[in-house]
Amino acid sequence: MDVCFSTIPQSEPTRTTFFFSSSPIKKQSCFTFPATRTRFLRRPISSTSAAATAAKTKKNGPSLSDQLKPLSAATLSAAPDRRLQSSNSKSTWVNPARPKRSVLSLHRHKRSAYAHNPKVRELRLFAQKLSDSAPSEAEFAAAIAQLPHPPTRENSLLILNSLKSWQQSYMFFQWLKTLEDSFPLETIFYNVAMKSLRFGKQFELIEQLANEMVSNEIPLDNITYSTIITCAKRCNRFDKALEWFERMYRTGLMPDEVTYSAVLDVYAKLGKVEEVLSLYERGVASGWKPDSITFSVLAKMFGEAGDYDGIRYVLQEMKALGVQPNMVVYNTLLEAMGKAGKPGLARSLFEEMIGLGLTPDEKTLTAMIKVYGKARWAKDAMELWDRMRENGWPMDFILYNTLLSMCADLALVEEAEKLFEDMKSSKVCKPDSWTYTAMMNIYGSGGNAEKAMELFDEMSSLGVALNVMGSTCLIQCLGKSQKIDDLVRVFDVVIGQGIKPDDRLSGCLLSIVAMCESNDDTAKVVDCLRLANPKLVGFLNSIQDETTRFEDVKDEFKVLMSSTSVESRRPFCNCLIDVCRNRERHTRAHELLYLGTLFGLYPDLHNVTQEEWSLDVRSLSVGAACTALEEWIGTLAKFVSKNEELPELFSAQTGAGTHKFAQGMASSFGAHVERMSAPFRQCEERGAGCFVASREDLVAWLESRASAPSAAAVTA
């Protein structure tokens, strides 16, 4: 199929106005691109013959660096010194049997520090002065008047390629178009100008120049399309990158390594896995050999999706093509293994990297610590830390803080204290705000309020600023220990340092309100909460007022949750239910649970199959879980009274905390089940925190409750 289109709109597009008067030829044209596309199926990689490779190299044309290489030679005098030429020349043997590269090379020719020709030296000095001038029309006019030599084709191209500022490059390029009786601006001029604009991330100007080339019938070569596509990717204009890539394919040009990698990355960021694989195999089938950057893109894509089979595919392809991974690829693969939940394979890959003689950097070690922490492999993580110290591997703040965060998740108090002391003795990585936050999280999880306060005093003496996360961990620890006066002092420091309390800190204060044992302590915490979130305190007072109607509570609840971050809405509702239960307001607690379910805060609370009905309270607090159990029992009693069909089994899932210090609700939930005399019993076969009851036992119990109203009234 042939596609005929015109890239010139009916009206002149808006362009940057310059003080030069120009009258370039603007000719509307209609030309035809061959749009035939071959759809490649997934197949094994095959080698490309030398003849096909040479033909394709000829089709692609020389690279931009090859085109710019003759500039110095073109501006030299006609009679060079033969003695100088012979003294500097070196004989190089070329293997005639080795084929040329199938696509453009990423390696650029090294340029000499200075040119021996005075003319070239003067032109480069002029380009340096022009780059240093201010990007204004007046400054540019003053600088261009000092041009040392006539603006011939070679001189102009040399100056344009030497300019460092994209503003000056664009202005100089526009000035070249105003010259009368001058040389025509060929493709190479546009490519050099676009290269400079790409560094400045000026995609709109690049696309404008590309459309100008089309309208003036100036051919767009491989370098032109590659520059447009890579600039669009850098500017996050993924739609434009794909659009120009399709246009490139319709012209029959073969993309180079940079273009292939850029488009693959665009598809990967858009989540188009099938398009990535199709383009990859289409490029390999056409003779393109992927490099390490390409495989890094593929590994990152599969890692984000947690696709272990995709990661194996990347490793197999690299092995088949003989591509040796570099540090970037190894780091990407290790992160992908961690997200895919394969710590054993990540460890094997890490040892393979060490066996090849590569020294891991900070990113590599951080990725491994995250993998071990997610898999809860504490022993392997600490052994890796010992190897870091023995081998002198580099460590930075992120690596140290990642280790401390892992210790906090795994409750490794002694190991965390050793790491913390090691950072204090380090000359490079001194503890920062996030380091102290991790340590306070460790002490806070273990309920060690004294150690947490010592860290707080140490931070104050050293001038280390407290962040909102660290203050939340410290306040939660003090609240659990009922050290309300210290809590108020810490909160005053937080406000005094200008830290704005977020929803997590507000939720922490609300949970402490539910735990307070005396009215005086409750009032102190509520005063702090009023400064952090006055709207939340207003709703708290409203639900504790017996005269507040349910419809008013519903409206206020909707307004409060709308102004709360998504991740904090369910914790807010849980804490509000706990407050009501602790104040003996059970009816209000059931109303709040209903509202939370109504507004989608508990989407997975009930699971129903033909064989089993289950209640999942793992995302609820203790008070909210007990309320949900009572509500569920009431619903089941209605089914029994109506003689409706019931499944064989009923279960309740409370979960089991994996943290050493985690206070799971299994014991509290089980105690509430015993107070209700419900027939639910823990089932060890299904794991910790699973309570089950048969249909016969549950129906018999519910019928006995119905015949004894006094027993049915017991809910706490």
Side-chain angles (χ1 to χ4, degrees), residues 333-398:
L333 287 172
L334 290 174
E335 292 178 359
M337 292 289 188
K339 293 179 180 179
K342 301 295 181 179
L345 294 176
R347 181 174 57 187
S348 300
L349 190 64
F350 178 77
E351 296 299 335
E352 174 187 322
M353 182 191 71
I354 299 298
L356 293 175
L358 296 177
T359 302
D361 56 12
E362 298 89 338
K363 293 183 179 180
T364 311
L365 299 172
T366 302
M368 286 303 301
I369 294 299
K370 289 182 178 179
V371 170
Y372 289 147
K374 182 179 180 181
R376 310 189 68 79
W377 287 14
K379 181 180 178 181
D380 296 86
M382 300 315 298
E383 289 178 354
L384 179 59
W385 179 51
D386 293 335
R387 292 177 64 182
M388 296 179 200
R389 302 179 64 184
E390 293 174 0
N391 298 324
W393 289 340
M395 299 181 67
D396 58 2
F397 287 103
I398 299 177

XYZ file of all heavy atoms in Angstrom, residues 333-398:
522
model
N 18.461 -6.508 36.176
C 18.028 -7.897 36.336
C 17.827 -8.255 37.811
O 16.876 -8.963 38.163
C 19.056 -8.839 35.709
C 19.105 -8.869 34.174
C 20.298 -9.682 33.692
C 17.820 -9.451 33.603
N 18.692 -7.759 38.684
C 18.543 -8.044 40.106
C 17.265 -7.427 40.663
O 16.534 -8.052 41.440
C 19.762 -7.527 40.870
C 21.071 -8.293 40.642
C 22.228 -7.600 41.343
C 20.950 -9.724 41.112
N 16.979 -6.182 40.265
C 15.727 -5.558 40.697
C 14.524 -6.315 40.156
O 13.510 -6.477 40.848
C 15.695 -4.105 40.235
C 16.721 -3.217 40.926
C 16.683 -1.797 40.404
O 15.872 -1.526 39.485
O 17.446 -0.955 40.900
N 14.641 -6.783 38.918
C 13.537 -7.547 38.329
C 13.333 -8.866 39.063
O 12.194 -9.290 39.301
C 13.813 -7.801 36.846
N 14.425 -9.538 39.438
C 14.306 -10.788 40.190
C 13.620 -10.553 41.534
O 12.811 -11.367 41.988
C 15.697 -11.395 40.424
C 16.373 -11.901 39.175
S 15.609 -13.391 38.505
C 16.788 -13.808 37.220
N 13.953 -9.431 42.173
C 13.316 -9.126 43.448
C 11.832 -8.892 43.308
O 11.027 -9.381 44.118
N 11.413 -8.151 42.288
C 9.997 -7.891 42.080
C 9.247 -9.153 41.667
O 8.049 -9.274 41.938
C 9.817 -6.799 41.025
C 10.321 -5.434 41.479
C 10.144 -4.391 40.403
C 10.651 -3.035 40.890
N 10.520 -1.984 39.854
N 9.948 -10.057 41.005
C 9.322 -11.320 40.612
C 9.314 -12.332 41.748
O 8.762 -13.429 41.589
C 10.040 -11.911 39.403
N 9.911 -11.992 42.892
C 9.920 -12.898 44.036
C 10.831 -14.089 43.855
O 10.490 -15.209 44.262
N 12.013 -13.876 43.266
C 12.971 -14.951 43.037
C 14.299 -14.604 43.708
O 15.299 -14.285 43.043
C 13.179 -15.179 41.531
C 11.926 -15.529 40.767
C 11.367 -16.879 41.203
C 10.114 -17.245 40.427
N 9.572 -18.560 40.831
N 14.364 -14.633 45.035
C 15.623 -14.258 45.711
C 16.753 -15.231 45.436
O 17.919 -14.830 45.374
C 15.225 -14.253 47.193
C 14.051 -15.164 47.287
C 13.313 -15.016 45.995
N 16.445 -16.523 45.284
C 17.495 -17.493 45.012
C 18.179 -17.245 43.680
O 19.415 -17.290 43.571
N 17.396 -16.960 42.653
C 17.968 -16.668 41.336
C 18.731 -15.351 41.356
O 19.748 -15.200 40.667
C 16.856 -16.638 40.294
C 16.158 -17.973 40.036
C 15.006 -17.786 39.063
C 17.140 -18.998 39.489
N 18.226 -14.384 42.126
C 18.949 -13.120 42.248
C 20.318 -13.337 42.889
O 21.324 -12.758 42.464
C 18.123 -12.132 43.076
N 20.372 -14.190 43.894
C 21.657 -14.481 44.534
C 22.606 -15.182 43.566
O 23.809 -14.877 43.527
C 21.425 -15.340 45.777
C 22.689 -15.691 46.548
C 22.356 -16.406 47.845
N 21.558 -17.606 47.610
C 21.029 -18.327 48.589
N 21.192 -17.958 49.851
N 20.316 -19.408 48.304
N 22.086 -16.119 42.776
C 22.928 -16.804 41.792
C 23.460 -15.825 40.752
O 24.638 -15.896 40.354
C 22.130 -17.920 41.111
O 21.669 -18.872 42.059
N 22.613 -14.911 40.310
C 23.039 -13.912 39.330
C 24.088 -12.988 39.929
O 25.045 -12.597 39.249
C 21.826 -13.119 38.856
C 22.029 -12.192 37.660
C 22.388 -13.000 36.418
C 20.779 -11.366 37.397
N 23.926 -12.641 41.196
C 24.907 -11.784 41.861
C 26.257 -12.491 41.964
O 27.315 -11.883 41.706
C 24.385 -11.409 43.247
C 25.331 -10.572 44.056
C 25.488 -9.220 43.802
C 26.074 -11.147 45.079
C 26.358 -8.460 44.548
C 26.952 -10.390 45.837
C 27.091 -9.034 45.570
N 26.253 -13.755 42.323
C 27.502 -14.507 42.416
C 28.141 -14.679 41.039
O 29.374 -14.677 40.911
C 27.245 -15.875 43.053
C 26.762 -15.812 44.494
C 27.756 -15.140 45.416
O 28.969 -15.141 45.094
O 27.329 -14.602 46.466
N 27.311 -14.813 40.006
C 27.849 -14.897 38.648
C 28.564 -13.605 38.268
O 29.630 -13.627 37.655
C 26.708 -15.173 37.665
C 27.125 -15.144 36.205
C 25.936 -15.246 35.274
O 24.996 -16.000 35.587
O 25.941 -14.569 34.224
N 27.975 -12.485 38.651
C 28.596 -11.195 38.370
C 29.935 -11.066 39.089
O 30.926 -10.594 38.516
C 27.646 -10.069 38.806
C 28.158 -8.679 38.530
S 27.163 -7.434 39.352
C 27.642 -7.728 41.055
N 29.988 -11.500 40.353
C 31.238 -11.447 41.104
C 32.277 -12.364 40.472
O 33.471 -12.028 40.382
C 30.998 -11.835 42.576
C 30.008 -10.856 43.228
C 32.302 -11.845 43.351
C 30.477 -9.433 43.269
N 31.837 -13.538 39.996
C 32.754 -14.479 39.370
C 33.378 -13.956 38.087
O 34.485 -14.362 37.712
N 32.680 -13.049 37.414
C 33.215 -12.461 36.184
C 34.207 -11.341 36.456
O 34.737 -10.743 35.514
C 32.071 -11.933 35.315
C 31.136 -12.990 34.729
C 29.983 -12.330 33.994
C 31.898 -13.926 33.798
N 34.428 -11.035 37.733
C 35.395 -9.997 38.074
C 34.816 -8.605 38.167
O 35.576 -7.634 38.310
N 33.489 -8.470 38.091
C 32.866 -7.157 38.214
C 32.701 -6.801 39.685
O 32.344 -7.646 40.507
C 31.504 -7.147 37.521
C 31.508 -7.368 36.002
C 30.086 -7.409 35.478
C 32.302 -6.274 35.303
N 32.956 -5.549 40.014
C 32.790 -5.063 41.381
C 31.424 -4.423 41.521
O 31.100 -3.487 40.784
C 33.875 -4.036 41.728
O 35.162 -4.640 41.568
C 33.719 -3.550 43.165
N 30.588 -4.908 42.420
C 29.242 -4.325 42.557
C 29.309 -2.889 43.054
O 30.171 -2.532 43.872
C 28.567 -5.246 43.585
C 29.696 -5.856 44.354
C 30.831 -5.989 43.388
N 28.418 -2.073 42.553
C 28.339 -0.696 43.011
C 27.222 -0.557 44.043
O 26.624 -1.535 44.479
C 28.122 0.258 41.833
C 26.878 -0.092 41.018
O 26.067 -0.928 41.488
O 26.705 0.461 39.925
N 26.935 0.697 44.422
C 25.928 0.933 45.449
C 24.548 0.457 45.016
O 23.778 -0.096 45.817
C 25.880 2.427 45.807
C 27.171 2.972 46.394
C 28.115 3.491 45.325
O 27.974 3.053 44.161
O 28.983 4.313 45.646
N 24.217 0.657 43.737
C 22.900 0.250 43.251
C 22.757 -1.275 43.274
O 21.683 -1.793 43.587
C 22.675 0.790 41.839
C 22.563 2.306 41.761
C 22.268 2.754 40.347
C 22.122 4.277 40.277
N 21.841 4.741 38.899
N 23.828 -1.980 42.935
C 23.779 -3.440 42.960
C 23.521 -3.957 44.365
O 22.650 -4.810 44.588
C 25.102 -4.013 42.439
O 25.453 -3.386 41.209
C 24.998 -5.514 42.232
N 24.271 -3.438 45.328
C 24.132 -3.900 46.709
C 22.777 -3.508 47.284
O 22.160 -4.279 48.033
C 25.266 -3.318 47.551
C 26.678 -3.720 47.097
C 27.728 -2.948 47.878
C 26.882 -5.213 47.262
N 22.303 -2.311 46.936
C 20.980 -1.895 47.407
C 19.895 -2.804 46.853
O 18.954 -3.187 47.570
C 20.711 -0.438 47.000
O 21.727 0.410 47.546
C 19.355 0.024 47.515
N 20.014 -3.170 45.574
C 19.028 -4.075 44.976
C 19.036 -5.424 45.680
O 17.974 -6.008 45.951
C 19.315 -4.250 43.488
N 20.227 -5.948 46.022
C 20.299 -7.238 46.698
C 19.706 -7.167 48.105
O 19.018 -8.090 48.553
C 21.751 -7.711 46.769
C 22.305 -8.216 45.452
S 21.331 -9.579 44.746
C 21.423 -10.790 46.055
N 19.953 -6.072 48.812
C 19.388 -5.930 50.155
C 17.863 -5.875 50.083
O 17.153 -6.460 50.918
C 19.955 -4.675 50.839
C 21.451 -4.846 51.098
C 19.230 -4.397 52.149
C 21.796 -6.001 51.996
N 17.330 -5.182 49.091
C 15.877 -5.143 48.924
C 15.314 -6.529 48.612
O 14.239 -6.893 49.100
C 15.510 -4.155 47.811
C 15.723 -2.696 48.177
C 15.294 -1.790 47.039
C 15.464 -0.317 47.413
N 15.065 0.580 46.302
N 16.035 -7.289 47.795
C 15.583 -8.646 47.471
C 15.544 -9.505 48.723
O 14.549 -10.196 49.003
C 16.512 -9.269 46.407
C 16.211 -10.757 46.239
C 16.346 -8.558 45.076
N 16.618 -9.459 49.516
C 16.661 -10.258 50.744
C 15.634 -9.776 51.757
O 15.022 -10.583 52.474
C 18.062 -10.193 51.347
C 19.112 -10.956 50.570
C 20.432 -10.512 50.515
C 18.784 -12.117 49.879
C 21.402 -11.206 49.804
C 19.738 -12.809 49.159
C 21.051 -12.354 49.118
O 21.997 -13.048 48.408
N 15.455 -8.467 51.854
C 14.476 -7.954 52.802
C 13.057 -8.360 52.453
O 12.270 -8.719 53.330
N 12.731 -8.318 51.160
C 11.388 -8.710 50.734
C 11.146 -10.189 50.974
O 10.031 -10.593 51.340
C 11.206 -8.380 49.248
C 9.828 -8.690 48.712
C 9.707 -8.304 47.243
C 8.323 -8.625 46.708
N 8.192 -8.264 45.264
N 12.184 -11.005 50.786
C 12.063 -12.447 51.010
C 12.249 -12.824 52.474
O 12.140 -14.007 52.811
C 13.076 -13.200 50.153
N 12.584 -11.830 53.326
C 12.817 -12.053 54.755
C 13.986 -12.995 54.984
O 13.978 -13.831 55.891
C 11.549 -12.576 55.448
C 10.307 -11.769 55.154
C 9.141 -12.187 56.017
N 9.377 -11.821 57.418
C 9.211 -10.594 57.919
N 8.803 -9.601 57.134
N 9.449 -10.356 59.193
N 15.022 -12.838 54.159
C 16.256 -13.602 54.293
C 17.245 -12.761 55.099
O 18.189 -12.181 54.556
C 16.839 -13.953 52.926
C 16.067 -15.018 52.198
C 14.823 -15.490 52.485
C 16.500 -15.741 51.043
N 14.436 -16.448 51.599
C 15.449 -16.637 50.694
C 17.640 -15.728 50.270
C 15.533 -17.495 49.599
C 17.720 -16.575 49.182
C 16.692 -17.463 48.856
N 17.029 -12.708 56.389
C 17.852 -11.849 57.244
C 19.305 -12.323 57.282
O 20.237 -11.511 57.239
C 17.262 -11.814 58.652
N 19.511 -13.623 57.359
C 20.867 -14.158 57.449
C 21.675 -13.815 56.208
O 22.837 -13.377 56.298
C 20.808 -15.672 57.643
C 22.170 -16.325 57.779
C 22.037 -17.834 57.974
C 23.409 -18.489 58.071
N 23.297 -19.972 58.239
N 21.078 -13.986 55.026
C 21.789 -13.669 53.786
C 22.089 -12.180 53.686
O 23.151 -11.785 53.192
C 20.954 -14.118 52.587
C 20.764 -15.618 52.547
O 19.821 -16.107 53.189
O 21.567 -16.291 51.897
N 21.158 -11.359 54.147
C 21.369 -9.919 54.085
C 22.536 -9.490 54.970
O 23.388 -8.685 54.559
C 20.087 -9.191 54.497
N 22.597 -10.018 56.167
C 23.683 -9.641 57.071
C 25.017 -10.214 56.612
O 26.073 -9.591 56.802
C 23.364 -10.092 58.491
C 22.080 -9.493 59.062
S 21.891 -7.706 58.769
C 23.316 -7.061 59.644
N 25.008 -11.395 55.993
C 26.238 -11.932 55.414
C 26.732 -11.053 54.269
O 27.947 -10.854 54.109
C 26.010 -13.363 54.923
C 25.848 -14.386 56.034
C 25.585 -15.784 55.497
O 25.417 -15.907 54.252
O 25.532 -16.736 56.298
N 25.809 -10.539 53.484
C 26.198 -9.631 52.411
C 26.805 -8.359 52.980
O 27.772 -7.818 52.426
C 24.976 -9.305 51.547
C 25.207 -8.330 50.387
C 26.256 -8.871 49.429
C 23.902 -8.051 49.656
N 26.264 -7.868 54.081
C 26.829 -6.674 54.711
C 28.258 -6.931 55.193
O 29.142 -6.082 55.053
C 25.943 -6.225 55.869
C 26.467 -5.011 56.581
C 26.858 -3.842 56.018
C 26.676 -4.867 57.988
N 27.279 -2.961 56.977
C 27.180 -3.567 58.200
C 26.471 -5.708 59.077
C 27.489 -3.089 59.469
C 26.773 -5.225 60.342
C 27.275 -3.942 60.532
N 28.506 -8.128 55.746
C 29.865 -8.475 56.168
C 30.811 -8.514 54.969
O 31.977 -8.076 55.061
C 29.861 -9.825 56.887
C 29.128 -9.771 58.217
O 29.044 -8.665 58.799
O 28.608 -10.826 58.664
N 30.342 -9.028 53.841
C 31.181 -9.057 52.643
C 31.473 -7.647 52.144
O 32.562 -7.379 51.628
C 30.500 -9.871 51.545
C 30.402 -11.354 51.836
C 29.652 -12.078 50.731
N 30.349 -12.020 49.450
C 29.877 -12.543 48.316
N 28.698 -13.161 48.326
N 30.565 -12.459 47.201
N 30.512 -6.752 52.281
C 30.744 -5.358 51.884
C 31.903 -4.760 52.673
O 32.785 -4.085 52.113
C 29.481 -4.523 52.120
C 28.281 -4.897 51.293
S 26.863 -3.846 51.719
C 25.512 -4.842 51.120
N 31.895 -5.000 53.959
C 32.929 -4.418 54.808
C 34.282 -5.075 54.554
O 35.320 -4.397 54.550
C 32.536 -4.574 56.274
C 31.204 -3.919 56.607
C 30.833 -4.124 58.059
N 31.771 -3.478 58.962
C 31.726 -3.574 60.286
N 30.770 -4.311 60.859
N 32.602 -2.959 61.047
N 34.311 -6.394 54.336
C 35.573 -7.078 54.103
C 36.206 -6.692 52.770
O 37.420 -6.503 52.675
C 35.346 -8.593 54.152
C 34.955 -9.121 55.530
C 34.601 -10.598 55.486
O 34.670 -11.175 54.374
O 34.253 -11.163 56.546
N 35.373 -6.586 51.732
C 35.888 -6.289 50.390
C 35.994 -4.806 50.099
O 36.502 -4.425 49.041
C 35.001 -6.945 49.336
C 34.967 -8.450 49.448
O 35.969 -9.079 49.785
N 33.810 -9.046 49.176
N 35.516 -3.980 51.019
C 35.585 -2.542 50.780
C 34.691 -2.065 49.664
O 35.025 -1.109 48.960
N 33.557 -2.735 49.464
C 32.629 -2.321 48.418
C 31.985 -0.983 48.770
O 31.792 -0.677 49.958
C 31.551 -3.389 48.224
C 32.070 -4.634 47.589
C 33.223 -4.755 46.859
C 31.481 -5.942 47.636
N 33.382 -6.053 46.442
C 32.337 -6.802 46.892
C 30.330 -6.463 48.196
C 32.058 -8.146 46.718
C 30.049 -7.817 48.032
C 30.901 -8.643 47.299
N 31.646 -0.192 47.769
C 31.126 1.160 48.057
C 29.757 1.110 48.732
O 28.905 0.281 48.396
C 31.041 1.805 46.667
C 30.920 0.649 45.715
C 31.721 -0.461 46.321
N 29.571 2.012 49.672
C 28.304 2.117 50.393
C 27.937 3.592 50.487
O 28.790 4.436 50.749
C 28.406 1.509 51.795
C 28.747 0.023 51.803
S 28.825 -0.669 53.457
C 27.106 -0.542 53.955
N 26.655 3.894 50.258
C 26.173 5.266 50.336
C 25.000 5.337 51.307
O 24.642 4.360 51.967
C 25.779 5.790 48.950
C 24.716 4.923 48.285
O 24.257 3.945 48.917
O 24.334 5.216 47.140
N 24.388 6.534 51.384
C 23.276 6.737 52.309
C 22.101 5.809 51.988
O 21.480 5.240 52.892
C 22.807 8.199 52.245
C 23.757 9.162 52.898
C 24.594 9.959 52.145
C 23.810 9.272 54.275
C 25.465 10.838 52.747
C 24.675 10.145 54.888
C 25.512 10.944 54.122
N 21.823 5.666 50.705
C 20.668 4.850 50.316
C 20.876 3.408 50.737
O 19.958 2.743 51.238
C 20.434 4.962 48.799
C 20.135 6.417 48.406
C 19.302 4.044 48.354
C 19.952 6.625 46.920
